[in-house]
Amino acid sequence: MTMTIHVDIVSAEKEIFSGLAEMVFAPAEMGEVGIAPRHAPLISKLKPGEVRVKVNEKDIQPFYVSGGILEVQPHVVTILADTAIRAKDIDEAAALEAKARAEEALSDTSGKINYSTAHAQLAEAMEQLRSLDRLRKHGG
Amino acid sequence: MAVGKEIRTKIGSIKNTQKITRAMEMVAASKMRKTQNKMQATRPYARKISQIIKHLAHANPEYKHPYLIERAETKRIGVIVITSDRGLCGGLNSNLFRKVLGQLKQWDESGIEVDVCTIGSKGLSFFSGLECNLVGQTTKLGDTPHLEDIVGVIKVMLDAYDAHEIDELHIVSNEFVNTMVQKPNIEKILPIVPEEIDEELKGYWDYIYEPDAKEVLDNLLTRYIESMVYQGLVENNACEQAARMVAMKSASDNAGKLIDELQLVYNKARQAAITQEISEIVAGAAAV
C-alpha cells in the first residue's frame, strides 16, 4: 500500500477539500513544489495558480487558488487559500478608503458627548424601558 | 353601525403592522439558517490557522514576529467594533454598546487612549456621536460579507500596531450562544497569545520558510487576524438574524394581544349601544 498524507484545503469562507492523498502539488512562491508523505516541516507563501491533489494514480483533483499559505507537517498538509487576489497595494488602497470613510463620517457630526454621559444616558433609557415594561405587565 | 369606528380602524392598522412583523420574522428565520451555515463554513479555516500558529509556538523559530511579542506598557488600544447594518433586532446592538462603553470608561480612567474602527452602520452612527478617535469604518456588507470587504479596516489597525501607535488590538462583537441568547464579547487579538504550550511537544525543529521567515510570518499572522475578525463578523450576522427573529416574534405576539384587547373594548361599546337603543325603544313604546 502506498503512503498517504492528509490534505486540508480551506478558504476563509468555506472548506474546499479534506482527505487523504498520495501527493500534493502547489504553486509555492519560489516555484512549484510537490509534497509527498513525511516531508520536512515547511511554510511557504503561495502564488495564484493550481493546486493538484493526487488522491491515487487515476484521480488527480485540481483546485484554483488565488494565493495563500502552505503549511507542511510530516503527516498533514494545510493550504490556507485566499478568496481573492491580494497584493500590498490593493490592501493599502482598501486601508486608505476605510480611513477616508471614517473621516467623512466624523466631519458631519454636530454636538459631541463624552463616554460617561453617554453611558449614563443609555443606562437611563434602559431603565425607563424596563419600568415601562413592568407597568405594562401589571397595569395592562 | 357607527359605533366604534375609530376602534375598528385601529384594529385594522395593528393587523397590518402584525402582517409586516410576521413577514419579517419569517424572513429573519430563513436568513438565520443561512447565516448559521455560513458561520459553520468559516470554522475550518479558523481552526486550521490557529493550529498552525500553535505549531509555530512549538517550533524554534529564528525570527520572532512583533505580533507575538507582548509590549511592556499599554498606552493606546485599538478596538474593532462589529455591529449590524440594520436595526429592528431587539437589544442586540445596544447591549454591545453598553459593554463597550463600560470597557472604554475603564480604559479612560486608567489613562489609556483608544482608537476605534467600526464595521456596520449602527456602530458608526453610535461612535461618530462620541468623543472618540474613529480611524476607520466600513458599512453595508450585506448578509454574505466577504473577507475582502474588511481588509481595509484591519489594515488600518495593523499599520497602527506596526507603527507602535497602538499596543493592543481588541475586537468587540456578539457571540452566538443559541437562537435566544447572544452575548456581547470583547476579545484581545493582538498581541497574539498562543494557546498553552505543550512542553513535551516543544522541539528543536523549525520550519523551512519560503521565501523567508519574516515574509511568511507577516502573511500568516495578518491572515490570522483577518480570519478572527471575519469570524466575528459572520457570527455577528447570525446573531443579528436570530435577534431579529425573536424581536419580530414578540412584536407579532404583542400586536395579537393588543388586537384582542381592542376587540374586547369594541364589543363592549357595541353591546352598550344596542342596549341603549333597546331601552330607548322600550321607553318610547311605554310613553305611547
Side-chain angles (χ1 to χ4, degrees):
Chain A
M1 197 190 121
T2 42
M3 273 201 299
T4 52
I5 186 164
H6 194 89
V7 183
D8 286 304
I9 305 180
V10 289
S11 82
E13 285 167 27
K14 60 177 186 290
E15 186 166 52
I16 298 169
F17 177 88
S18 176
L20 291 172
E22 286 178 12
M23 203 153 170
V24 188
F25 302 94
E29 187 141 284
M30 314 283 283
E32 197 177 69
V33 290
I35 311 288
R38 298 214 185 147
H39 193 285
L42 163 83
I43 282 193
S44 173
K45 271 168 73 178
L46 292 182
K47 284 190 301 196
E50 196 183 47
V51 173
R52 275 169 296 138
V53 180
K54 187 178 162 194
V55 179
N56 55 44
E57 215 48 68
K58 284 178 204 141
D59 186 11
I60 297 178
Q61 295 185 23
F63 301 94
Y64 181 78
V65 294
S66 42
I69 287 171
L70 165 78
E71 191 234 10
V72 180
Q73 288 280 334
H75 297 287
V76 191
V77 176
T78 309
I79 292 173
L80 304 168
D82 286 346
T83 44
I85 292 193
R86 300 283 300 274
K88 214 163 180 155
D89 46 339
I90 299 179
D91 288 8
E92 211 76 62
L96 286 177
E97 205 182 309
K99 261 188 200 162
R101 276 198 302 258
E103 273 154 25
E104 197 182 314
L106 279 180
S107 62
D108 56 34
T109 55
S110 48
K112 294 198 165 176
I113 335 157
N114 63 21
Y115 294 145
S116 31
T117 35
H119 199 223
Q121 277 174 354
L122 196 63
E124 203 180 336
M126 296 294 272
E127 206 40 61
Q128 276 173 353
L129 274 178
R130 219 168 293 144
S131 53
L132 267 178
D133 214 31
R134 263 203 300 275
L135 270 179
R136 257 254 203 77
K137 265 184 198 136
H138 295 291
Chain B
M1 198 166 37
V3 173
K5 190 156 188 305
E6 303 93 332
I7 300 180
R8 254 184 309 165
T9 30
K10 206 163 182 190
I11 291 178
S13 81
I14 293 174
K15 269 188 182 151
N16 284 337
T17 313
Q18 195 188 25
K19 268 183 212 154
I20 296 173
T21 54
R22 195 160 279 156
M24 283 183 77
E25 180 196 333
M26 282 189 278
V27 171
S30 87
K31 277 191 179 171
M32 185 185 76
R33 222 155 299 142
K34 247 186 269 171
T35 48
Q36 259 175 313
N37 289 342
K38 183 107 185 126
M39 191 170 83
Q40 300 292 345
T42 59
R43 289 240 164 99
Y45 188 87
R47 209 172 39 232
K48 283 290 158 198
I49 200 161
S50 57
Q51 218 168 58
I52 296 180
I53 302 277
K54 205 171 162 192
H55 285 160
L56 265 178
H58 282 121
N60 195 15
E62 75 229 63
Y63 168 76
K64 196 100 169 140
H65 198 274
Y67 291 173
L68 295 167
I69 302 166
E70 217 151 329
R71 304 234 166 119
E73 56 172 345
T74 313
K75 278 188 254 146
R76 204 177 178 93
I77 289 178
V79 183
I80 297 179
V81 183
I82 301 174
T83 55
S84 69
D85 270 332
R86 283 165 215 204
L88 288 181
C89 47
L92 187 75
N93 289 320
S94 16
N95 286 342
L96 191 79
F97 294 145
R98 205 150 37 127
K99 178 126 188 180
V100 179
L101 278 176
Q103 183 69 57
L104 289 179
K105 202 166 158 227
Q106 237 175 50
W107 283 332
D108 203 33
E109 277 160 8
S110 43
I112 298 170
E113 287 175 278
V114 176
D115 279 350
V116 181
C117 266
T118 60
I119 297 176
S121 13
K122 289 287 155 195
L124 175 66
S125 58
F126 180 76
F127 280 99
S128 56
L130 288 180
E131 202 178 86
C132 70
N133 195 8
L134 191 65
V135 293
Q137 62 105 340
T138 179
T139 53
K140 301 202 178 62
L141 298 179
D143 294 323
T144 46
H146 295 290
L147 187 71
E148 299 91 78
D149 303 332
I150 54 169
V151 165
V153 173
I154 299 167
K155 176 92 174 145
V156 169
M157 280 303 181
L158 292 182
D159 282 348
Y161 190 83
D162 288 337
H164 284 254
E165 277 164 19
I166 57 171
D167 304 301
E168 271 179 29
L169 180 59
H170 292 241
I171 167 174
V172 184
S173 67
N174 281 296
E175 185 191 336
F176 189 91
V177 182
N178 55 44
T179 315
M180 301 299 287
V181 183
Q182 293 89 32
K183 217 173 80 199
N185 210 3
I186 301 179
E187 202 181 341
K188 182 166 103 177
I189 56 174
L190 264 184
I192 296 164
V193 187
E195 292 165 48
E196 80 246 41
I197 292 170
D198 198 341
E199 283 303 323
E200 273 180 37
L201 278 172
K202 196 167 169 71
Y204 296 96
W205 57 277
D206 193 11
Y207 282 111
I208 304 167
Y209 297 94
E210 266 183 39
D212 62 273
K214 185 180 176 304
E215 204 167 315
V216 173
L217 285 184
D218 244 8
N219 250 282
L220 179 69
L221 295 178
T222 310
R223 274 176 184 70
Y224 179 63
I225 303 294
E226 281 169 4
S227 99
M228 301 262 288
V229 178
Y230 184 69
Q231 260 231 307
L233 178 61
V234 174
E235 194 160 339
N236 196 65
N237 253 334
C239 287
E240 181 193 343
Q241 298 302 346
R244 179 164 301 130
M245 191 185 84
V246 173
M248 287 302 122
K249 187 170 167 34
S250 74
S252 308
D253 291 352
N254 283 343
K257 249 182 257 162
L258 257 177
I259 290 172
D260 286 351
E261 276 166 30
L262 284 175
Q263 194 71 47
L264 197 66
V265 174
Y266 171 74
N267 287 346
K268 271 184 189 158
R270 199 179 73 107
Q271 204 169 22
I274 292 169
T275 316
Q276 197 187 354
E277 222 168 288
I278 291 173
S279 64
E280 271 166 12
I281 291 168
V282 172
V288 176

